[in-house]
Amino acid sequence: MNKELIINAAPQGVEIALLEDKKLVELHHEKADASFAVGDLYLGKVKKLIPGLNAAFVDVGFEKDAFLHYTDLSPYARSLLKFTQLAINDNSPQGFNFANFQVEPEIIKTGKINEVLSGKPNILVQILKEPIAAKGPRLSCEISLPGRFVVITPFNDIVAVSRKIHSAEERKRLQKIVEAIKPKNFGVIVRTAAEGKNTAELHEDLAELVETWETIQRNLKGAVAPAKILSEQTKTTSILRDLLNEDFNRVVVNDRNIYNDTRNYIQRIAPEKAEIVSYYNNGLPIFDQYGITKQVKAAFGKTVNLPSGAYLIIEHTEALHVIDVNSGYKSVGNNQEQNALETNLEAAAEISRQLRLRDLGGIIVVDFIDMKLPDNKRKLLEAMEECMRPDRAKHAVLPISKFGLMQITRQRMKPEVNINTQEVCPSCAGTGKISSTLLLEDEIEKNLSYLITHQHKDLTLVVHPIMHAYLTKGLFKSRQWKWRWKYGQKVKIRENTNYHLTEFHFFDKHDDEIKL
């Protein structure tokens, strides 16, 4: 698969488009003043304990207090509380040595929030979910710092290897390497991207993450809650970190600073791919050049058309998203069951793309076209699961129910992407009504009379083609001739297909528009 990343930098933020075989599949928008992004670390102040929910509300500086559930407390929550206080009150110039930190006993899974967070302390937390609608951020105390090949988790000594690495020998090799190079008091999760990597590459990645943890320790010194302690990498870098593989063959950027940062990052993590980054300054907007603007306009909105003539209706409610599949004018043959299957398979591919593109989360209910054969229903389920495989968000697909509905759950990490693809009608300015065309001729003549009395000559009137036909119809009986006899001078009339029906403009002999 041919993967491209197109990065558009603008004053209000950075837009990142991921293309797979020239088709837009993900669109990310990083605002210039972005805060409370997933992965950001904050020093929070526990404000309120809710024993009934077994949760706490924590002030991290957002307008609404963030939510921290007991299940999102790390087993090492007491160690984290102790570390937070030690780091805040630390006066040593170099900072205390984390390797000598004494880890506290783990908390029990079935415990109570007020047993752990009594006294409403300050605590280091990580954003688990961005603020969505009326909800504040959701927090976690299971601090994790992701790198290219490994993820580190402080306060434990466990080494785990990604289940997606299937070779038992490779898993053992990676486990041995990481156990040999792992610093004390850090747990390490080996990512799928580490497969086949040597000790030096893994050690370099691990050393960078340990350095990041030391930065967190320094930033906590003397900090007053609520305060941001560390930002997750920029979306550009984090997307590259998670996606960069041999299929990724082009990164195009229209900002010199991001170009340099991206190139340096790739140079560091995958030197052989440094040449895939290119700087774009061609005049035409970068998203227009790569056809992204057009794809955005076609992909967002309530109705999404498919190449065969079938279409999707996507509706959003407070509780869930509903997608209806309609066959439109599609008709491959006389076999209704076969037609339904082919339309549904085509819709499944587009639905999986729409979920990634719009970042839809929660429960998604899909009403596919009814099929009778169990075999066809199984084929559709397998196709949907296959289409959803590249999706990085956690998801689950259920078989088609007896009502003909498929249910999908997808991890909701941040607000869904919602782009308004409709434009205000230039004729009615959004009112749904335009002035009577009967009065248009009078209005044009009134403006013409005004211009001629103010000594304007060699005038050209530009109108919509339908209006042009009306004004020039009948040669010597036309409105054009009537005005010539009335005002004693010729008025040229030109048509413009870009004008709406009631739009008209006057131009002088130099073809400059006369503002009225």
Side-chain angles (χ1 to χ4, degrees):
M1 190 180 286
N2 180 6
K3 287 186 182 175
E4 298 168 286
L5 200 66
I6 312 297
I7 303 168
N8 176 34
Q12 63 272 23
V14 179
E15 288 179 300
I16 303 160
L18 174 63
L19 305 180
E20 289 181 356
D21 293 331
K22 304 291 182 189
K23 199 164 191 180
L24 180 66
V25 291
E26 286 184 32
L27 190 65
H28 302 269
H29 192 192
E30 183 182 8
K31 290 179 182 170
D33 57 348
S35 55
F36 305 102
V38 173
D40 284 356
L41 288 167
Y42 281 82
L43 176 63
K45 169 76 176 165
V46 177
K47 297 288 278 192
K48 198 174 183 182
L49 298 172
I50 315 287
L53 294 173
N54 205 13
F57 284 101
V58 182
D59 179 14
V60 290
F62 189 65
E63 58 198 68
K64 294 202 169 167
D65 288 341
F67 184 77
L68 174 63
H69 194 269
Y70 188 87
T71 53
D72 293 319
L73 286 176
S74 163
Y76 305 95
R78 288 197 176 95
S79 300
L80 182 63
L81 284 164
K82 178 181 166 185
F83 168 79
T84 305
Q85 291 310 314
L86 272 174
I88 290 171
N89 301 321
D90 182 29
N91 293 320
S92 57
Q94 296 299 319
F96 66 89
N97 186 351
F98 186 66
N100 299 330
F101 179 80
Q102 289 299 311
V103 175
E104 296 293 304
E106 292 183 23
I107 63 172
I108 57 170
K109 285 183 180 178
T110 53
K112 303 292 180 197
I113 195 90
N114 46 0
E115 293 168 3
V116 182
L117 298 180
S118 58
K120 298 180 182 176
N122 292 340
I123 186 167
L124 182 66
V125 288
Q126 192 163 28
I127 305 291
L128 190 63
K129 286 185 182 177
E130 291 180 19
I132 297 172
K135 298 174 185 173
R138 181 153 182 182
L139 306 176
S140 169
C141 287
E142 295 204 54
I143 308 295
S144 62
L145 301 176
R148 172 84 172 124
F149 306 125
V150 296
V151 177
I152 65 165
T153 55
F155 311 114
N156 68 53
D157 276 310
I158 297 162
V159 174
V161 181
S162 167
R163 290 177 189 169
K164 290 182 182 176
I165 298 175
H166 300 299
S167 163
E169 282 181 20
E170 180 63 7
R171 290 168 68 86
K172 275 183 193 169
R173 184 186 77 87
L174 291 168
Q175 181 112 14
K176 276 186 185 174
I177 291 173
V178 172
E179 280 174 353
I181 61 175
K182 181 183 76 65
K184 193 167 180 274
N185 284 341
F186 285 108
V188 179
I189 301 161
V190 182
R191 302 182 74 170
T192 316
E195 193 168 2
K197 301 301 173 188
N198 60 37
T199 309
E201 288 173 299
L202 295 172
H203 186 267
E204 186 186 353
D205 200 37
L206 188 58
E208 279 180 20
L209 295 175
V210 171
E211 202 176 296
T212 304
W213 181 250
E214 287 167 1
T215 304
I216 292 167
Q217 206 172 309
R218 284 194 299 273
N219 292 349
L220 277 170
K221 195 183 287 189
V224 179
K228 184 186 265 195
I229 300 302
L230 190 82
S231 285
E232 162 69 317
Q233 291 172 301
T234 63
K235 275 210 173 84
T236 316
T237 315
S238 58
I239 288 170
L240 282 173
R241 181 190 66 205
D242 295 340
L243 293 183
L244 194 69
N245 58 29
E246 60 276 6
D247 297 333
F248 215 100
N249 62 357
R250 184 154 63 161
V251 181
V252 188
V253 193
N254 69 344
D255 179 88
R256 184 62 73 179
N257 292 333
I258 298 176
Y259 165 77
N260 291 331
D261 291 347
T262 307
R263 191 177 168 84
N264 292 341
Y265 180 73
I266 294 182
Q267 185 75 51
R268 190 158 48 82
I269 63 170
E272 72 282 0
K273 297 193 83 73
E275 296 307 313
I276 68 173
V277 188
S278 59
Y279 176 63
Y280 176 88
N281 61 345
N282 204 12
L284 193 69
I286 189 169
F287 273 15
D288 292 357
Q289 175 70 28
Y290 289 94
I292 294 163
T293 307
K294 191 175 179 182
Q295 288 195 55
V296 166
K297 292 283 185 189
F300 286 87
K302 184 177 168 181
T303 305
V304 178
N305 294 308
L306 303 179
S308 67
Y311 61 95
L312 309 176
I313 302 287
I314 302 176
E315 294 273 13
H316 167 63
T317 71
E318 186 63 33
L320 43 78
H321 300 276
V322 182
I323 302 176
D324 186 30
V325 180
N326 292 287
S327 57
Y329 57 80
K330 179 184 171 74
S331 180
V332 175
N334 297 324
N335 187 332
Q336 188 181 344
E337 183 78 5
Q338 186 61 26
N339 284 350
L341 175 63
E342 290 188 17
T343 303
N344 285 340
L345 291 176
E346 183 188 25
E350 182 59 30
I351 288 165
S352 67
R353 172 179 172 246
Q354 287 290 332
L355 298 187
R356 289 171 71 188
L357 192 53
R358 299 180 188 222
D359 216 357
L360 301 183
I363 300 169
I364 298 107
V365 176
V366 186
D367 181 10
F368 282 106
I369 297 167
D370 288 342
M371 297 184 296
K372 292 183 175 62
L373 299 179
D375 245 19
N376 287 344
K377 291 179 182 179
R378 183 182 47 77
K379 279 180 191 170
L380 179 57
L381 175 65
E382 287 170 359
M384 195 74 212
E385 286 172 341
E386 185 61 35
C387 292
M388 292 288 287
R389 191 160 286 138
D391 195 340
R392 289 177 293 142
K394 289 177 188 169
H395 58 268
V397 182
L398 296 183
I400 293 173
S401 71
K402 61 182 177 184
F403 295 127
L405 303 174
M406 179 182 281
Q407 296 169 71
I408 301 169
T409 60
R410 188 174 183 273
Q411 183 183 26
R412 189 199 298 272
M413 296 297 287
K414 59 183 197 295
E416 66 176 90
V417 179
N418 194 5
I419 296 171
N420 185 10
T421 58
Q422 295 178 324
E423 296 171 4
V424 174
C425 168
S427 299
C428 69
T431 63
K433 294 174 182 177
I434 60 171
S435 58
S436 169
T437 48
L438 291 172
L439 302 176
L440 183 61
E441 183 192 339
D442 293 344
E443 193 181 342
I444 293 172
E445 189 169 345
K446 185 175 71 178
N447 285 314
L448 178 63
S449 174
Y450 171 81
L451 292 173
I452 289 172
T453 54
H454 283 75
Q455 309 304 312
H456 284 280
K457 294 187 182 297
D458 297 322
L459 292 169
T460 301
L461 171 65
V462 182
V463 291
H464 184 273
I466 292 174
M467 200 63 202
H468 176 271
Y470 171 75
L471 295 174
T472 56
K473 182 185 174 185
L475 199 58
F476 296 114
K477 291 182 181 179
S478 68
R479 270 53 175 186
Q480 189 178 14
W481 270 91
K482 191 176 85 175
W483 292 339
R484 182 170 183 173
W485 291 118
K486 188 174 179 179
Y487 299 111
Q489 63 168 280
K490 187 179 179 184
V491 179
K492 292 178 194 163
I493 301 179
R494 252 190 1 237
E495 59 185 313
N496 189 326
T497 52
N498 292 324
Y499 283 21
H500 56 81
L501 182 60
T502 59
E503 184 179 2
F504 65 91
H505 297 283
F506 284 99
F507 293 84
D508 62 19
K509 62 181 175 185
H510 303 297
D511 218 21
D512 293 327
E513 187 185 342
I514 303 167
K515 299 289 182 186
L516 290 162

